[in-house]
Amino acid sequence: MNMLGGGSSAGRKPLKSGMKELAVFREKVTEQHRQMGKGGKHHLGLEEPKKLRPPPARTPCQQELDQVLERISTMRLPDDRGPLEHLYSLHIPNCDKHGLYNLKQCKMSLNGQRGECWCVNPNTGKLIQGAPTIRGDPECHLFYNEQQEAGGAHAQRVQ
């Protein structure tokens, strides 16, 4: 029985909780992947003329996301024994539209509770020392600007 197929859901049994979560999650990750410029099998022939150009270099965040997506694509759908334990253990990097790490990175929410969030350097993805790790917004922009100024890097002072 194909429970993930498209079309009308009339007459079908509802998806099991874990299977539905995985299907929704895969779709979100696929869309983020598509927005970051990695074409997939869903683009069948839409970008044929662009084959002449070499693909752009992947940023560290995009490479890390590619690795996680590869792991997810090899995961088996859950059976009736429980939810997606292995999926929740993965860290899925949060990349911006330019392929850099977003300042705030978070673990997945679980059982209605927010995942922990922390602050990273957008270029390296490395933890910003002194920034909190909390279930909420750690206000990373405050810690990254302080780090830039302390390191002598260009700070945004124009206003």
Side-chain angles (χ1 to χ4, degrees):
M1 170 168 26
N2 183 1
M3 299 171 94
L4 297 178
S8 172
S9 61
R12 291 187 183 167
K13 294 181 182 177
L15 293 172
K16 296 257 191 285
S17 174
M19 292 177 72
K20 183 176 180 181
E21 289 173 8
L22 182 58
V24 168
F25 179 75
R26 280 184 176 167
E27 182 59 34
K28 286 180 181 178
V29 170
T30 300
E31 180 59 29
Q32 183 179 11
H33 214 193
R34 207 177 287 135
Q35 289 175 357
M36 289 174 44
K38 178 163 176 127
K41 57 188 170 191
H42 301 347
H43 287 289
L44 298 175
L46 294 178
E47 298 182 19
E48 290 290 318
K50 293 185 179 180
K51 284 186 175 180
L52 300 176
R53 281 191 257 162
R58 308 293 286 162
T59 65
C61 189
Q62 291 168 330
Q63 291 173 16
E64 185 179 347
L65 181 59
D66 288 344
Q67 291 171 356
V68 173
L69 291 173
E70 183 64 30
R71 287 187 63 193
I72 290 170
S73 71
T74 61
M75 285 183 173
R76 301 207 184 282
L77 289 174
D79 54 21
D80 293 333
R81 292 184 299 194
L84 307 168
E85 299 91 13
H86 300 295
L87 185 61
Y88 294 119
S89 67
L90 294 175
H91 168 64
I92 299 164
N94 186 353
C95 307
D96 68 13
K97 64 183 179 181
H98 304 291
L100 298 177
Y101 291 91
N102 279 313
L103 284 175
K104 181 173 82 171
Q105 299 287 311
C106 298
K107 291 183 181 177
M108 279 192 241
S109 298
L110 183 59
N111 298 326
Q113 191 175 39
R114 283 184 177 186
E116 288 184 331
C117 297
W118 61 95
C119 305
V120 300
N121 179 306
N123 297 307
T124 64
K126 302 290 183 200
L127 182 69
I128 295 176
Q129 296 299 319
T133 297
I134 61 172
R135 293 186 188 277
D137 186 2
E139 299 188 46
C140 297
H141 62 280
L142 300 174
F143 296 95
Y144 186 65
N145 286 337
E146 288 174 12
Q147 184 185 20
Q148 281 182 320
E149 290 177 3
H154 179 319
Q156 296 179 356
R157 297 181 185 177
V158 178
Q159 287 202 353

